Amino acid sequence: MATLRRKKAEPFSVFQRDPGPWPPILLNWMATLAIIMVFGLVMLFSASYTTGYLRFGDSFHYIKSQLLCTVLGLGMMFLFSYFDHRFLRRMVKLGYVVCLMLLVLVLFSTPLNGCRRWIRLGGLTLQTSEVAKFEMILLTAHLASSAPQIGRFRPSLKEKVRLKDWLFIRIVRQIILPVLPLVPVLVLLIMEPHMSGILLTTAIVGTILMMSGSGGIITWAGAGTAALLLETLLTHVNSIEYLQKRLKTWSDDLEKLNPQTKQSLYAIGSGGLKGLGLGNSVEKQLWLPESTNDFIFSVVCEELGFIGATLIIVLFILFIVQGLLIAYKAENQFCTMVGIGIMAQIAWQVFCNIAVVTNTIPNTGISLPFFSSGGTSLILLLAEMGVMVNIGRNGERAAQQRAADHARREAERAAQEAERASRTINLEDARRAQNGK
């Protein structure tokens, strides 16, 4: 029977005065983030000035709001970069309760387009699903890193673990317990309804569990089965009318295609290789709905062409790979799982947004990170980037500490060897000394 040991709680403070040195990979990651954000602001202004003028009489309406949220988000990024990750881990259960309260509260808000997703506080709005994604990253990372790790065999003892114990740990402790908190969140998101939020939150939680090794082959098999059955399951969800409408308009036939997606494909096709030029999009002149949000990538393709679209995709891939490297060099498993979860959120949103605008998957209404307009999303994304900075700096501090400890142990070992050698009698010298006598 495997012995499970509970680790002692580490001392922590709310804020870290100096999280640690700045590793080169973190600086490169932040430079990539800065390029993406500037690129996103330029494209948002290009995509929104017509819509802003016609709807609000101000061509700068969307970009002013986005710039304000960028400033607030950078402030949150700076703040969260100094939050001790041990404090965040201690607060995950309280954060989960607050998250559920917000998801319940939003159900009593005024519906917009048949959905209740935003809580209005004066002139500000809060999209509760964005809070839920952040909270589920922290909570799932905590549960996954806290679950006991066990193999089918223990090579050190040459002892076979009982199948009953193996299944209990693999299924109950590593899969069921980390997934249970997701269920109330999904139920509340269905009541909004918010299918894109359900898709993203589930994908993020699943990614964390798979990358942490929770459940082993069982988790991977379950994920593969769910992916294969996803379309069949959604087709039979007849209780959600707008979901069925979107599935029925997902087609290769332009006559049956969703009008929004059709205009998106027109924009992409019009861009060609080099695009029509920055600011010269035709589809953004109120032909393409949500050109400032979910379909901003279509405007990018129309104005910058295949080259500009590819550049953005490459930037996001570079950003995600750099973020994963930061996560893998983190101080502990919890930090690694949080970093993976944050990068998984970016990766899934980018993939789903581009897949929607190219008609690869049905229209799900997922924004493009750092490009689409949306205050809550941008502020919380930048707060998550602050957590990544903290993870990177703490990871570098821990790595340097490990290197220093290793060097100290090697120096001590060398000193012991030298002392042992000085006390050892050389046999030849002893014989010469004896013969000399």
Side-chain angles (χ1 to χ4, degrees):
M1 179 67 182
T3 301
L4 305 179
R5 296 180 179 178
R6 184 180 296 273
K7 294 183 178 180
K8 293 183 179 179
E10 300 179 65
F12 69 93
S13 57
V14 177
F15 289 100
Q16 292 178 298
R17 182 171 298 179
D18 182 16
W22 295 80
I25 185 65
L26 180 59
L27 296 175
N28 294 334
W29 176 83
M30 292 186 68
T32 307
L33 173 62
I35 294 172
I36 291 175
M37 289 180 64
V38 172
F39 208 153
L41 289 171
V42 171
M43 291 312 306
L44 177 61
F45 177 61
S46 177
S48 67
Y49 66 80
T50 301
T51 306
Y53 179 77
L54 292 176
R55 290 184 179 176
F56 304 100
D58 182 6
S59 298
F60 298 93
H61 174 81
Y62 287 98
I63 192 63
K64 286 192 297 186
S65 174
Q66 194 78 348
L67 283 171
L68 175 61
C69 291
T70 299
V71 173
L72 294 174
L74 289 174
M76 292 291 289
M77 179 177 174
F78 176 80
L79 183 66
F80 272 77
S81 69
Y82 283 91
F83 267 125
D84 193 328
H85 60 83
R86 289 170 285 265
F87 170 72
L88 292 178
R89 188 170 188 176
R90 287 288 185 91
M91 298 299 291
V92 290
K93 295 180 181 178
L94 176 61
Y96 180 69
V97 174
V98 174
C99 173
L100 291 182
M101 292 173 61
L102 290 174
L103 290 173
V104 171
L105 183 62
V106 77
L107 298 177
F108 299 94
S109 63
T110 305
L112 180 63
N113 297 326
C115 302
R116 293 179 170 85
R117 301 178 184 175
W118 296 269
I119 296 176
R120 289 172 176 79
L121 303 171
L124 302 176
T125 58
L126 174 66
Q127 190 169 4
T128 54
S129 62
E130 297 295 330
V131 179
K133 284 186 283 188
F134 191 11
E135 168 57 28
M136 290 310 301
I137 289 173
L138 297 175
L139 181 58
T140 307
H142 166 67
L143 295 174
S145 58
S146 300
Q149 300 298 318
I150 189 171
R152 186 67 183 89
F153 300 97
R154 288 190 291 175
S156 60
L157 300 179
K158 305 296 183 182
E159 179 183 345
K160 189 175 182 180
V161 179
R162 290 189 302 175
L163 180 62
K164 177 182 177 181
D165 299 328
W166 184 85
L167 289 174
F168 176 79
I169 293 175
R170 282 294 193 189
I171 297 177
V172 178
R173 297 293 301 275
Q174 294 185 358
I175 299 178
I176 294 179
L177 289 182
V179 170
L180 272 179
L182 178 64
V183 176
V185 173
L186 296 184
V187 171
L188 292 170
L189 289 175
I190 289 173
M191 295 173 68
E192 292 186 10
H194 193 357
M195 298 310 298
S196 60
I198 294 170
L199 174 65
L200 278 176
T201 308
T202 304
I204 292 168
V205 170
T207 302
I208 294 174
L209 293 179
M210 288 191 293
M211 297 305 293
S212 68
S214 296
I217 190 63
I218 300 174
T219 304
W220 287 89
T225 304
L228 292 174
L229 298 177
L230 180 61
E231 183 180 354
T232 303
L233 292 172
L234 291 178
T235 304
H236 289 82
V237 183
N238 297 318
S239 59
I240 305 178
E241 183 179 351
Y242 89 100
L243 174 60
Q244 293 304 315
K245 183 178 179 180
R246 292 189 176 188
L247 288 174
K248 289 177 181 178
T249 56
W250 181 45
S251 170
D252 292 332
D253 187 354
L254 284 177
E255 299 301 323
K256 299 179 181 178
L257 194 61
N258 184 310
Q260 195 174 27
T261 308
K262 185 189 298 185
Q263 295 298 329
S264 172
L265 295 178
Y266 287 157
I268 295 172
S270 301
L273 180 63
K274 298 181 180 179
L276 303 179
L278 186 63
N280 294 331
S281 169
V282 175
E283 287 293 328
K284 70 182 180 184
Q285 313 292 336
L286 300 187
W287 290 97
L288 176 64
E290 299 296 335
S291 61
T292 64
N293 198 340
D294 300 341
F295 284 82
I296 192 172
F297 189 75
S298 304
V299 178
V300 172
C301 293
E302 187 179 10
E303 296 188 348
L304 304 183
F306 176 79
I307 295 175
T310 303
L311 176 60
I312 290 177
I313 294 173
V314 170
L315 281 172
F316 273 116
I317 292 175
L318 178 62
F319 179 71
I320 292 165
V321 171
Q322 290 172 334
L324 290 176
L325 289 175
I326 292 171
Y328 283 125
K329 294 180 180 180
E331 182 179 2
N332 52 48
Q333 187 183 10
F334 170 72
C335 293
T336 296
M337 291 300 104
V338 170
I340 290 175
I342 292 172
M343 290 298 103
Q345 178 182 346
I346 301 293
W348 280 112
Q349 283 195 217
V350 171
F351 169 77
C352 291
N353 180 271
I354 295 176
V356 165
V357 302
T358 56
N359 198 35
T360 305
I361 63 174
N363 192 338
T364 56
I366 295 177
S367 61
L368 185 64
F370 308 112
F371 278 74
S372 300
S373 63
T376 304
S377 175
L378 181 60
I379 292 173
L380 287 176
L381 272 177
L382 287 174
E384 293 176 18
M385 299 306 104
V387 175
M388 287 295 299
V389 171
N390 184 271
I391 290 172
R393 295 182 67 183
N394 274 286
E396 181 67 11
R397 175 186 53 75
Q400 291 186 4
Q401 183 63 45
R402 287 193 297 268
D405 292 342
H406 178 73
R408 178 178 53 78
R409 287 194 298 269
E410 289 297 320
E412 291 175 353
R413 186 180 295 111
Q416 291 173 358
E417 290 292 335
E419 183 180 359
R420 189 179 297 113
S422 66
R423 294 179 179 178
T424 302
I425 299 176
N426 188 294
L427 185 59
E428 293 296 328
D429 293 342
R431 285 174 178 174
R432 290 193 195 100
Q434 186 176 12
N435 293 334
K437 291 180 180 179

